[in-house]
Amino acid sequence: MHLVLTHEQADFDAMAALYAGALIEGALPILPRRMNRNVRAFITLYGLEFAFIDPRDLPQGPVESVTLVDTQSLITLKGMSKDTKIRVYDHHPQRTAQKNPKGKTAVPMDWEVVSFDLGATATYFVEMFQERGVVLTPIQATLMLLGIYEDTGTLTYSHTTARDVHAVGWLLEQGAELRSVTDFLNPPLSIDQRDIYDHLLANIETLDIFGHQVMLACGETSNPTEEISTLAHKLRDLFDPDALFVLVHSPEGVRFVARSGTDQIDVAAISAQFGGGGHNRAAAALIKRETGQQQLLQDVREELIAILPRFVRPAVSVAQLMSKRPRVIAPETSVQEAAKLMARYGYEGFPVVSDGKIVGLLTRRAVDRATGHRLNVNAASLMDAGSISVHPGDSLQRLQAVMTDSGWGQIPVIEPESHLLVGIVTRTDVLKMLSRRHPNTAKYHSISAMLQKMLAPEKMALIQTVADQASSGHLPVYIVGGFVRDLFLNHPSADLDMVVEGDAILLGKSLVAKYGGKLTSHARFGTARWYLAGSQMANPLLPDFLDLISARQEFYEHPSALPTVEHGSIKLDLHRRDFTINTLALRLDGRHFGELHDYYGGLPDLERHLVRVLHSLSFIDDPTRMLRAVRYEQRYGFKIEPRTLQLMEDARPLLGRLSPERLRHELDLILEEKKATSILARLDELGLIQAISDRLPWNSEIYQRLDSCLGIPFPLEWGLPPTNSAHSLFETFAYSLWLLDQPTSVIQQIQEGLCFSMACYKVIQGGSALLLDLPALKGSQPSLWVARLDGVPLLAIYVVYLVTREKALETYALQWRNIHPRTTGHTLKARGLVSGPYFQDILDALRNGWLDGELDSLDAEEVLLEKLIANL
């Protein structure tokens, strides 16, 4: 076992290095027992993003090696011994016996120490990330940024290096949140600033504007050079409002400093009303007027309060984040039943409810530990007791504060008037909301305009029709998945996946009643199919039907099983999908038309060209997702993010549990891709081809063969026939190319693992056997070629010709196979001959005569026929 440790009372640099060291070395990051308060607040909110391990949950077993980061002092843990190897990464000077005359412990000689002259240990690991091409999520990048900023005083301390600055730039490119830096770090104040700060603090007032907490502080100073922006940061850190306005009267006028914590309050626009400027999160102005000191400050304050409602948009509320109709359990629920429910639905916790009131929260960690110790207890014994909750109208900031103060990762949502439980909101919801604040998402605000521009008028009219009908029935309806993904990639797909948050069959019936057409439905799954033929919407440019699906959730009884379906919300429906880039949804009904719902960070991943699974059990639930991950990666030129790659490696053996039909279906889809060979090569690189079947071949020769042949159109003159409905002509062609040089025994084993259709299997076998016989046929007479090729599927002959360019194969397809004598079986019967096997011998001899040039006229055929009959 390999562990990564850091020092106690850990700061952000220590925690950043702890995470990075574990990621670089593939080790387990063990949390220190004590952390600074601001660090603990960060970990409480975002700890799930980093897979830190509580030392109490350390797995049993020996510790072979330990990596120490940001420290040279080793903390002893169970499993460590004198044989444990120690490596150190630290930006502090290395401690040696010569450098420690006062008795401080020197680093043992057998430790491997990597020390560096940098402002922060985190910088060293950021450079390693850059060298290895590691891609970070915005939250991961933010932790690294906090580590560098804290140990360099936001790049102001004297020991800050140029490498620290370059690392910060790279982290910002990775999506690091600067707001989090200001939230969690506190710069010091000067003595003069402290006096002003105390005065501002005593005069601060709070305004509630459209659900936002806006704070206003007024004060004065006689020092015209004193910095006010630092005071604004301190006040904002202390109160964490949605926006803060600081007005300080100085000898030169009223100094106006504004900070915003949300996109809904643009302080630059507000500052411009007073002749100032800045950007939407930070702005300033100097206001000079011919009036008295106190009067000027009062006038500016009143003007600011008056104009704020014009520039403040409604806040993000808990109602926008929560999952509706949450699952709850009773206090008497057994730990075994709770574990079963958590495994079924993939939840990390359940509210515990008694008599309609929340009495606690049962977490997966508590359940796992209880089941690990084989305890026979109930939820009441294991839960975190309490009645923590938020209201639907509470702000995101209020939610974060409740999570931080309580330590709960799932917060129930209570309707304030009825006191009913109406939803639940999780740490993941908060993380995804922060991801949705990625700065590049602003360009996607006018999505309805994108739809109008990129879709044909007929398809746009169909979407609008469904949207209007759903709105009249008060049914939220969404376009989801691949359509939305491809819309943002500027090539919208033809498929429309419509999900209804409610009864999709009811919506389908109302569409048929108003516009005509035909409806089929499946009540068990809540799905309906509206056939447009005969309806007012019928159009040759539109699909034949439109599928309407009720929002649902899925769970898996065991790994690689097909999913069991239950109805759910749009958020739960999206959670069952494979990758974040496929979880985007556009709401269509009423005033919500064009509203983007991105609960799982799909848009930032789309912008960063990343393929990422939604949760760590995704490949366990459905191993075919590993093949799809590679398909998306190569199709779009994306990258599979590192954690997803690690999960793929762990789940790879599960491909062997899938049915042959499911595996072959995924391979069929791959072969239909334009970049099929690149996808297959990547599958081989990741060991996935071998996981499908250890007999399935892949090498550079196969790559070249497929790459050079798959794009060639079929020659019309060959008259290649279709195979059957199980495999298209192209798929059969591709498999035959792939397996062309494999022996019959190997093809038979592959057939057992993939279950090709019989027609496809015959083509594969026919091509393989023909390629093997080809050297012996070279130079033979046409009759021998025809004797060998008759009965071989024409597609198999074409595959061998395409690879070898043997001219005789083309001649057979275009000429020889169409050469036959005029004599038939009827001719022989007319001569008085009795039917028998010799009929075929006579006809073959006549055909061979024509093929080999021995016959050149019908008279010559008649002469040879007489001779053959006489020989009988």
Side-chain angles (χ1 to χ4, degrees):
M1 189 162 45
H2 184 180
L3 308 181
V4 182
L5 305 174
T6 189
H7 58 82
E8 291 298 320
Q9 210 59 52
D11 57 9
F12 276 113
D13 190 32
M15 297 305 296
L18 183 69
Y19 162 71
L23 186 61
I24 290 292
E25 301 205 5
L28 302 178
I30 308 302
L31 281 173
R33 293 181 177 85
R34 296 186 304 277
M35 293 174 276
N36 290 346
R37 191 175 68 175
N38 57 346
V39 174
R40 184 169 295 280
F42 183 92
I43 297 302
T44 297
L45 286 174
Y46 310 123
L48 290 178
E49 184 81 0
F50 303 97
F52 291 129
I53 297 176
D54 191 296
R56 295 172 295 178
D57 298 330
L58 185 66
Q60 296 289 338
V63 178
E64 288 84 11
S65 58
V66 168
T67 297
L68 280 177
V69 294
D70 200 42
T71 184
Q72 296 169 38
S73 299
L74 182 63
I75 301 168
T76 303
L77 293 176
K78 60 182 179 180
M80 294 171 56
S81 68
K82 59 182 179 61
D83 297 323
T84 300
K85 296 181 179 179
I86 309 297
R87 176 185 295 169
V88 176
Y89 293 100
D90 192 15
H91 72 122
H92 303 105
Q94 182 177 350
R95 294 202 310 267
T96 64
Q98 291 77 18
K99 292 182 179 179
N100 289 274
K102 296 185 179 180
K104 292 184 179 179
T105 305
V107 172
M109 295 296 293
D110 59 344
W111 286 14
E112 179 184 349
V113 179
V114 180
S115 60
F116 28 82
D117 187 16
L118 292 170
T121 304
T123 299
Y124 181 83
F125 286 106
V126 169
E127 292 175 341
M128 294 181 72
F129 287 160
Q130 292 175 277
E131 292 171 2
R132 301 187 183 192
V134 174
V135 178
L136 300 178
T137 67
I139 296 299
Q140 292 165 351
T142 298
L143 176 60
M144 302 303 295
L145 185 66
L146 283 164
I148 296 174
Y149 269 8
E150 184 166 60
D151 266 28
T152 63
T154 58
L155 305 179
T156 61
Y157 294 164
S158 59
H159 64 263
T160 303
T161 70
R163 292 165 63 185
D164 297 304
V165 178
H166 292 155
V168 166
W170 183 80
L171 290 170
L172 293 177
E173 293 175 351
Q174 297 288 299
E177 285 274 351
L178 283 173
R179 180 194 173 196
S180 294
V181 174
T182 58
D183 284 344
F184 291 101
L185 299 182
N186 298 301
L189 296 179
S190 67
I191 295 176
D192 288 342
Q193 285 178 316
R194 172 61 65 181
D195 293 338
I196 307 172
Y197 177 78
D198 291 341
H199 186 69
L200 292 171
L201 193 59
N203 290 278
I204 200 162
E205 55 187 314
T206 302
L207 309 173
D208 189 313
I209 303 177
F210 301 138
H212 291 282
Q213 185 187 57
V214 179
M215 303 195 80
L216 175 61
C218 298
E220 59 182 69
T221 179
S222 59
N223 187 346
T225 63
E226 195 58 73
E227 181 186 350
I228 305 300
S229 60
T230 299
L231 305 180
H233 281 294
K234 291 293 291 182
L235 289 169
R236 180 182 162 194
D237 290 345
L238 178 63
F239 294 106
D240 193 24
D242 295 313
L244 171 70
F245 295 89
V246 177
L247 305 177
V248 176
H249 195 285
S250 70
E252 54 185 358
V254 173
R255 297 167 69 177
F256 173 108
V257 176
R259 295 292 182 264
S260 172
T262 172
D263 291 333
Q264 279 70 44
I265 304 177
D266 185 347
V267 292
I270 297 170
S271 174
Q273 303 302 304
F274 297 94
H279 56 83
N280 62 339
R281 295 296 184 98
L286 178 61
I287 305 166
K288 298 181 178 181
R289 295 177 188 170
E290 295 296 330
T291 184
Q293 173 176 320
Q294 290 299 326
Q295 186 60 44
L296 175 57
L297 186 61
Q298 184 64 23
D299 290 348
V300 173
R301 174 187 169 279
E302 292 176 357
E303 289 176 26
L304 175 61
I305 293 174
I307 68 171
L308 278 176
R310 291 164 41 199
F311 293 93
V312 177
R313 297 199 301 268
V316 175
S317 66
V318 168
Q320 296 172 263
L321 299 177
M322 71 180 187
S323 297
K324 300 175 183 177
R325 299 183 294 276
R327 295 189 175 274
V328 299
I329 59 176
E332 58 271 17
T333 303
S334 69
V335 66
Q336 293 81 10
E337 179 63 20
K340 182 178 178 181
L341 291 171
M342 287 178 175
R344 169 176 288 189
Y345 297 106
Y347 293 168
E348 292 296 322
F350 283 100
V352 182
V353 176
S354 178
D355 296 329
K357 296 182 180 180
I358 297 168
V359 294
L361 178 75
L362 183 64
T363 65
R364 180 184 289 271
R365 180 173 179 271
V367 170
D368 288 346
R369 295 187 70 178
T371 55
H373 291 293
R374 300 182 180 179
L375 299 178
N376 188 17
V377 294
N378 58 25
S381 302
L382 292 174
M383 69 183 184
D384 294 330
S387 56
I388 307 298
S389 65
V390 293
H391 296 157
D394 285 346
S395 67
L396 176 62
Q397 291 74 18
R398 162 71 178 159
L399 171 63
Q400 288 178 287
V402 171
M403 282 186 170
T404 301
D405 293 342
S406 67
W408 286 20
Q410 298 85 29
I411 306 296
V413 184
I414 301 297
E415 184 63 46
E417 295 182 0
S418 64
H419 303 290
L420 294 176
L421 178 66
V422 295
I424 192 167
V425 63
T426 70
R427 282 195 188 99
T428 301
D429 298 326
V430 175
L431 286 172
K432 300 313 177 185
M433 175 54 68
L434 293 175
S435 297
R436 289 165 65 188
R437 293 178 171 186
H438 192 279
N440 291 339
T441 62
K443 61 186 176 183
Y444 295 128
H445 285 170
S446 301
I447 296 174
S448 58
M450 290 175 60
L451 288 169
Q452 296 281 356
K453 178 181 178 181
M454 302 182 72
L455 296 185
E458 297 81 8
K459 183 170 287 188
M460 193 66 205
L462 177 61
I463 290 174
Q464 192 65 62
T465 296
V466 176
D468 292 344
Q469 193 64 25
S471 181
S472 65
H474 305 289
L475 289 172
V477 65
Y478 305 80
I479 304 181
V480 301
F483 177 89
V484 187
R485 175 199 67 217
D486 292 344
L487 180 70
F488 286 131
L489 293 174
N490 296 318
H491 49 82
S493 61
D495 297 331
L496 292 176
D497 292 332
M498 310 284 281
V499 173
V500 182
E501 200 169 29
D503 192 341
I505 297 176
L506 179 64
L507 176 59
K509 289 179 178 178
S510 67
L511 286 167
V512 170
K514 185 172 184 178
Y515 298 100
K518 177 185 174 184
L519 189 77
T520 60
S521 61
H522 197 308
R524 179 185 173 190
F525 296 106
T527 60
R529 175 168 288 181
W530 179 27
Y531 290 90
L532 301 182
S535 74
Q536 299 176 29
M537 302 306 300
N539 190 303
L541 300 178
L542 290 176
D544 296 333
F545 57 83
L546 182 67
D547 284 327
L548 302 169
I549 303 168
S550 296
R552 61 188 191 263
Q553 61 181 329
E554 296 176 348
F555 60 88
Y556 296 78
E557 296 288 358
H558 57 81
S560 74
L562 293 174
T564 300
V565 178
E566 292 183 358
H567 292 299
S569 64
I570 184 63
K571 183 178 177 183
L572 292 174
D573 185 272
L574 295 173
H575 187 265
R576 69 186 175 85
R577 296 173 186 268
D578 45 14
F579 307 106
T580 57
I581 59 174
N582 291 332
T583 62
L584 299 172
L586 291 182
R587 188 167 174 179
L588 303 175
D589 54 290
R591 62 184 177 84
H592 300 287
F593 189 87
E595 184 179 281
L596 178 64
H597 288 245
D598 179 14
Y599 297 103
Y600 304 106
L603 190 54
D605 281 347
L606 201 63
E607 293 173 332
R608 293 151 65 86
H609 294 179
L610 291 179
V611 178
R612 183 197 310 276
V613 289
L614 268 70
H615 54 85
S616 59
L617 295 179
S618 182
F619 295 134
I620 305 297
D621 289 342
D622 184 359
T624 63
R625 288 171 175 168
M626 290 183 273
L627 308 182
R628 269 176 273 158
V630 176
R631 183 150 54 92
Y632 289 133
E633 178 191 55
Q634 297 301 309
R635 179 198 294 175
Y636 298 117
F638 285 12
K639 283 187 176 296
I640 301 174
E641 62 94 26
R643 173 62 175 161
T644 300
L645 278 176
Q646 180 184 346
L647 294 172
M648 288 173 68
E649 184 175 352
D650 295 340
R652 189 168 53 201
L654 294 176
L655 282 172
R657 298 189 188 182
L658 295 173
S659 68
E661 291 77 11
R662 288 185 72 189
L663 284 172
R664 194 201 62 242
H665 175 68
E666 290 297 326
L667 289 176
D668 290 348
L669 294 175
I670 288 171
L671 291 173
E672 292 171 0
E673 294 275 347
K674 291 182 179 179
K675 297 182 179 180
T677 49
S678 298
I679 296 171
L680 292 171
R682 179 68 163 146
L683 289 175
D684 177 69
E685 179 184 330
L686 296 174
L688 295 176
I689 286 184
Q690 292 72 25
I692 294 171
S693 169
D694 57 3
R695 306 299 291 172
L696 200 57
W698 189 261
N699 52 47
S700 59
E701 183 178 343
I702 295 174
Y703 177 92
Q704 292 296 333
R705 186 160 70 232
L706 289 173
D707 196 50
S708 60
C709 296
L710 284 183
I712 298 175
F714 293 132
L716 296 177
E717 61 271 19
W718 276 64
L720 294 171
T723 52
N724 60 17
S725 59
H727 281 93
S728 70
L729 178 66
F730 178 79
E731 289 165 355
T732 303
F733 167 67
Y735 283 121
S736 186
L737 270 174
W738 186 353
L739 304 175
L740 183 61
D741 55 2
Q742 298 303 301
T744 299
S745 60
V746 172
I747 293 174
Q748 176 61 41
Q749 291 172 330
I750 295 172
Q751 163 70 358
E752 293 172 0
L754 295 178
C755 279
F756 301 117
S757 67
M758 187 51 62
C760 178
Y761 179 60
K762 287 181 177 178
V763 172
I764 297 171
Q765 282 279 33
S768 172
L770 178 57
L771 182 68
L772 190 65
D773 292 347
L774 207 59
L777 287 170
K778 286 185 178 293
S780 298
Q781 291 183 312
S783 59
L784 293 177
W785 279 99
V786 171
R788 175 63 183 84
L789 296 177
D790 277 353
V792 177
L794 188 59
L795 183 57
I797 297 172
Y798 175 68
V799 168
V800 177
Y801 165 72
L802 202 59
V803 172
T804 64
R805 294 297 174 177
E806 171 56 55
K807 187 66 177 176
L809 299 177
E810 182 182 41
T811 306
Y812 169 81
L814 303 183
Q815 300 177 28
W816 292 343
R817 71 188 179 104
N818 299 315
I819 294 176
H820 298 280
R822 185 178 66 175
T823 303
T824 66
H826 296 293
T827 306
L828 297 179
K829 287 182 180 181
R831 294 290 187 100
L833 299 177
V834 179
S835 298
Y838 62 89
F839 268 36
Q840 190 61 51
D841 295 337
I842 293 173
L843 296 176
D844 286 346
L846 294 174
R847 187 185 185 199
N848 291 342
W850 283 103
L851 288 167
D852 295 338
E854 297 170 358
L855 301 179
D856 56 4
S857 67
L858 295 178
D859 291 339
E861 178 182 324
E862 186 65 27
V863 170
L864 179 57
L865 175 61
E866 291 295 339
K867 185 184 295 185
L868 292 171
I869 293 175
N871 288 340
L872 288 177

